[in-house]
Amino acid sequence: MSAGKSIPLFPSKTAIEASFVPHAKVSKPVVRSVEPIGPYFLAHARRLKYGRTFSEDER
Amino acid sequence: MSDLEEYKTVIGLSFGNQNSSISFTKDGKTECLANEEGDRQIPAIFSYQGSEEYHGVQAYGQLVRNSHNTILNFRDMLGKSSEDVTDKKHKRSAKPISVNGQPGFSVTVVDPETGAETTSKKTVYEFTVRHLNRLFESARDFLGKKLDGCVIAVPSDFSEKQIEMLSKASKEAGVPAMQFVKESAAQILALMYSDSALVDKFVVVADFGATRSEVSVASIKSGIITILSNEQDLHLGGEQLTEVLVNFFAKEFEKKHKINPLTNRRAIAKLHAQCEITKRILSNNTTASAAIDSLVDGIDFHSNINRLRFELAGSSIFNKMSDLVVKAVKKAGLETVDINEVILAGGASHSPKLTSLMWSVFPEQTVIRSSASSATPLAVNPAELAAVGAGVQASLIAEFDADEIAGSLTPDVVNAPHLTKPIGINEGDNFVVVFDIETALPAQKSIECVAPAEGGAYIPIYEGERSIKVTTVEADADESDFSEEEEPEEIRERVVTPGTLLATVNIADVAPKAKVEVILHLDAEGKLTVTARPKDGKGSNVRGSN
Ligand SMILES: Nc1ncnc2c1ncn2[C@@H]1O[C@H](COP(=O)(O)OP(=O)(O)OP(=O)(O)O)[C@@H](O)[C@H]1O
Ligand SMILES: [Mg+2]
């Protein structure tokens, strides 16, 4: 699934090696119920049921 | 049996207090079916005259002559105790009674052989079975096939007990209900299915029916629908708008003839029937006439009304409907500027005033989808949206067995964590939101980033802070001619700025202007995993989690 747009990046101020640097955790989510309807919900239910990832699902 | 014959025949169903519709999916398109009389909105009405039972539009036609033996507005009473129902919605028809504690109606029928009149009491449950049976029969006749199952749309305040009774009724009427879905979710699905479902948005669905109005605010993220808030008014709908015309014409008649037609039950029924038509004409035309032979004491009634006059007389009703929308948006923790789309559903939404009220409530960029919007009209009759959505769902689960369907409705599947802050890429004014608030987890998105002219890709990922930016624009001299006060106009905008830095990705060895594919994945706990790789394969791949 794509956000549908190209994002222009800006020059790095700290040009370093290829890296991933974690900084902070995502804020605590809130639990809500999703509507059990539509093709994308069914795909979500299927992924949970079979423990599949998004990428496995797309294939 | 060939493979083809093994496919199940399933339908979608909406069952309102006034109208029901049945839908079927063929060649990937879901549409409402017409019954034998050609109606797609089939009134949930029964009427008994002599030895005859009338149903649907024919029963509706009995309201003038035979009101005490005409049964309507019973959907909301299903599964309730007779103590919990009011007769507020039965001023013009048979009043609900208690049948051993269950709500029901008393009906009088004549035996065709003996001519003897018998009065019997029937429960709302029995009328529901009868009504569903008629609908299923119409669908069977239309499709020429036996039906294997249906999906039924119900309002969001339908209790478990009510769903249980409806499930029992559907089975007894011959077609088991595979799933119950919310009317609002079905209305969204009806439109989403054919549209760009994967564009994230906040949507308002405002359903203005005959006797009730319900507004839901939904977050739609990667095609998954979450209802954030509901507001309903169980005594606000198209009936109240018809009532506005009834009172308007009654006053006019009284002024002229010194007789108040509202003191005569039959005259009220006649006025009502005419005003229902007049109201619908006013949805398409700016003026409409009304003519009733022998309204009271043999006096005929003739009059005209223009749309503006109707909208003025009904302004308190229209405003109540619009206020319900505003309330629901607030309740969802959103502002009108956050709403990308408003869908006006239900038969009463045909009245153009509701569309213009939405235009004034929401900012210019909010798309108002309604039957009365010339720029963004609905491709489907707003009264049929719930049935169409139910039909789409029916076609999606047609081949599922009961266990599979039940398995997708368990709390561990349906309850999902939702983001409380947006997540995006880049700094300062260049920040782009990738996952907005109220995104259900797990979620994944792939985006394309373009390296700067200097080469190298530096991708900072932030949680965003949301705020509202208010700009005051001086009233335009030309435009202010029309408004009474020359108040400066306030423009409100949603802005998101980078807040907490979650992670940074650096790929120093990509070429200038190279395209980098970045996949952001959030698991059910909110753990972020990022995968970045240059699309041309020249440069390092980076993957990490925080
Ligand atoms: N063209 C029109 N213009 C104005 N009003 C209309 C038009 N067509 C239908 N209506 C109104 O729509 C209402 C029926 O709407 P709908 O079929 O959505 O009701 P329902 O879902 O059965 O009722 P409820 O939601 O109260 O249970 C009626 O009040 C009717 O007068
Ligand atoms: Mg309705």
Side-chain angles (χ1 to χ4, degrees):
Chain A
M1 277 166 245
S2 127
K5 48 194 160 197
S6 269
I7 304 174
L9 296 172
F10 290 81
S12 167
K13 286 149 243 167
T14 54
I16 32 167
E17 306 276 290
S19 66
F20 174 90
V21 185
H23 289 272
K25 297 265 175 223
V26 170
S27 295
K28 197 172 159 34
V30 52
V31 175
R32 300 191 196 282
S33 54
V34 301
E35 292 307 311
I37 193 170
Y40 303 98
F41 166 78
L42 291 173
H44 159 84
R46 225 171 16 242
R47 280 191 300 271
L48 284 184
K49 186 174 167 188
Y50 300 109
R52 271 198 302 223
T53 64
F54 283 92
S55 324
E56 284 163 352
D57 209 41
E58 270 170 21
R59 262 177 244 141
Chain B
M1 227 205 259
S2 80
D3 279 356
L4 256 172
E5 281 166 323
E6 281 172 41
Y7 284 121
K8 298 255 164 61
T9 305
V10 292
I11 58 168
L13 183 73
S14 73
F15 170 28
N17 284 295
Q18 188 166 95
N19 295 312
S20 293
S21 291
I22 24 184
S23 70
F24 180 70
T25 306
K26 198 182 160 196
D27 302 330
K29 196 165 166 44
T30 310
E31 281 179 329
C32 284
L33 309 180
N35 67 2
E36 312 69 65
E37 279 120 28
D39 305 311
R40 283 163 210 279
Q41 283 116 57
I42 303 152
I45 305 182
F46 285 100
S47 186
Y48 299 86
Q49 171 84 299
S51 60
E52 292 287 322
E53 179 189 69
Y54 297 97
H55 173 250
V57 169
Q58 287 190 357
Y60 180 84
Q62 293 282 320
L63 269 172
V64 171
R65 259 164 297 136
N66 192 20
S67 61
H68 62 282
N69 223 7
T70 302
I71 281 89
L72 54 90
N73 282 339
F74 56 83
R75 197 272 317 263
D76 278 356
M77 293 196 281
L78 181 69
K80 289 194 178 157
S81 127
S82 61
E83 284 157 30
D84 297 336
V85 307
T86 67
D87 60 4
K88 264 196 176 167
K89 297 184 179 180
H90 303 86
K91 286 196 196 104
R92 302 182 297 118
S93 61
K95 297 223 182 317
I97 54 163
S98 167
V99 184
N100 303 322
Q102 280 193 58
F105 296 91
S106 152
V107 295
T108 304
V109 286
V110 176
D111 189 310
E113 314 264 287
T114 64
E117 245 185 29
T118 48
T119 298
S120 61
K121 293 174 175 180
K122 282 197 171 77
T123 60
V124 161
Y125 175 79
E126 289 173 271
F127 282 111
T128 304
V129 173
R130 264 184 125 64
H131 175 58
L132 294 181
N133 192 33
R134 291 293 190 105
L135 298 176
F136 294 150
E137 231 172 79
S138 300
R140 258 190 305 264
D141 287 352
F142 191 98
L143 299 169
K145 280 187 229 166
K146 132 178 181 308
L147 305 177
D148 297 298
C150 64
V151 168
I152 308 180
V154 294
S156 66
D157 63 332
F158 236 45
S159 68
E160 262 174 45
K161 168 88 185 152
Q162 289 186 290
I163 287 181
E164 192 192 308
M165 291 293 272
L166 188 51
S167 178
K168 212 174 129 202
S170 176
K171 203 167 173 188
E172 197 175 323
V175 182
M178 301 182 287
Q179 193 188 339
F180 292 89
V181 294
K182 281 190 196 136
E183 287 175 345
S184 52
Q187 285 156 344
I188 290 173
L189 183 61
L191 295 176
M192 189 170 93
Y193 202 58
S194 52
D195 281 339
S196 46
L198 293 175
V199 177
D200 288 353
K201 52 194 153 195
F202 287 108
V203 170
V204 168
V205 193
D207 178 348
F208 303 111
T211 68
R212 51 182 283 156
S213 297
E214 173 158 357
V215 182
S216 306
V217 177
S219 170
I220 306 176
K221 302 287 140 72
S222 296
I224 292 188
I225 305 166
T226 306
I227 308 273
L228 302 175
S229 71
N230 271 307
E231 276 292 334
Q232 55 212 11
D233 188 328
L234 300 182
H235 296 280
L236 179 70
E239 281 291 298
Q240 275 71 23
L241 291 171
T242 304
E243 207 87 9
V244 165
L245 287 176
V246 168
N247 292 327
F248 182 85
F249 287 137
K251 268 206 195 95
E252 198 178 292
F253 187 88
E254 191 177 5
K255 218 173 176 180
K256 209 163 157 192
H257 303 286
K258 308 286 174 266
I259 306 166
N260 179 3
L262 299 184
T263 53
N264 178 316
R265 194 179 161 106
R266 183 104 182 235
I268 295 174
K270 279 186 173 177
L271 259 174
H272 219 282
Q274 173 60 58
C275 290
E276 179 65 38
I277 297 165
T278 307
K279 182 183 74 174
R280 290 177 191 222
I281 294 172
L282 286 174
S283 295
N284 291 323
N285 302 303
T286 48
T287 62
S289 60
I292 303 165
D293 288 345
S294 179
L295 181 56
V296 252
D297 295 350
I299 309 169
D300 294 347
F301 174 70
H302 291 281
S303 187
N304 285 297
I305 184 165
N306 67 39
R307 189 189 282 168
L308 225 57
R309 194 70 198 82
F310 165 56
E311 290 176 351
L312 204 64
S315 63
S316 77
I317 307 289
F318 285 122
N319 287 338
K320 266 194 196 169
M321 290 171 163
S322 154
D323 288 349
L324 211 60
V325 173
V326 174
K327 248 167 91 183
V329 173
K330 273 220 182 85
K331 198 170 171 185
L334 299 173
E335 296 232 5
T336 49
V337 293
D338 292 314
I339 305 300
N340 306 90
E341 231 176 88
V342 177
I343 299 167
L344 295 190
S349 75
H350 274 116
S351 283
K353 182 66 184 172
L354 287 164
T355 299
S356 54
L357 279 171
M358 292 301 106
W359 279 331
S360 65
V361 164
F362 288 93
E364 221 175 298
Q365 67 270 22
T366 305
V367 175
I368 312 293
R369 304 179 73 182
S370 68
S371 68
S373 164
S374 49
T376 46
L378 287 175
V380 181
N381 184 326
E384 295 175 8
L385 284 171
V388 169
V392 171
Q393 180 67 5
S395 73
L396 292 172
I397 62 168
E399 305 303 323
F400 287 27
D401 61 36
D403 284 349
E404 266 175 292
I405 297 168
S408 71
L409 303 177
T410 56
D412 60 314
V413 180
V414 169
N415 290 344
H418 285 63
L419 287 184
T420 53
K421 295 203 167 169
I423 293 173
I425 283 183
N426 267 348
E427 283 163 350
D429 290 345
N430 307 307
F431 188 65
V432 177
V433 173
V434 178
F435 296 107
D436 204 351
I437 56 163
E438 306 297 359
T439 295
L441 306 183
Q444 176 167 307
K445 267 189 192 174
S446 159
I447 50 177
E448 185 185 272
C449 294
V450 183
E454 294 87 336
Y458 167 69
I459 309 165
I461 301 157
Y462 284 92
E463 239 180 19
E465 293 299 332
R466 304 166 79 241
S467 59
I468 295 280
K469 187 174 140 201
V470 185
T471 345
T472 5
V473 205
E474 289 307 318
D476 193 315
D478 293 341
E479 280 179 36
S480 64
D481 287 350
F482 297 101
S483 61
E484 283 143 40
E485 290 147 61
E486 294 191 19
E487 272 182 27
E489 199 193 342
E490 264 193 0
I491 295 181
R492 300 171 75 79
E493 272 173 283
R494 172 64 68 191
V495 287
V496 185
T497 51
T500 310
L501 182 64
L502 296 174
T504 52
V505 172
N506 237 311
I507 319 179
D509 54 358
V510 298
K513 299 275 178 198
K515 288 177 179 154
V516 181
E517 185 192 29
V518 181
I519 298 172
L520 299 183
H521 176 89
L522 288 159
D523 74 6
E525 275 73 50
K527 189 178 84 170
L528 173 70
T529 300
V530 186
T531 315
R533 58 168 169 257
K535 283 197 163 169
D536 60 5
K538 291 175 196 147
S540 313
N541 289 359
V542 170
R543 185 185 164 87
S545 296
N546 72 339

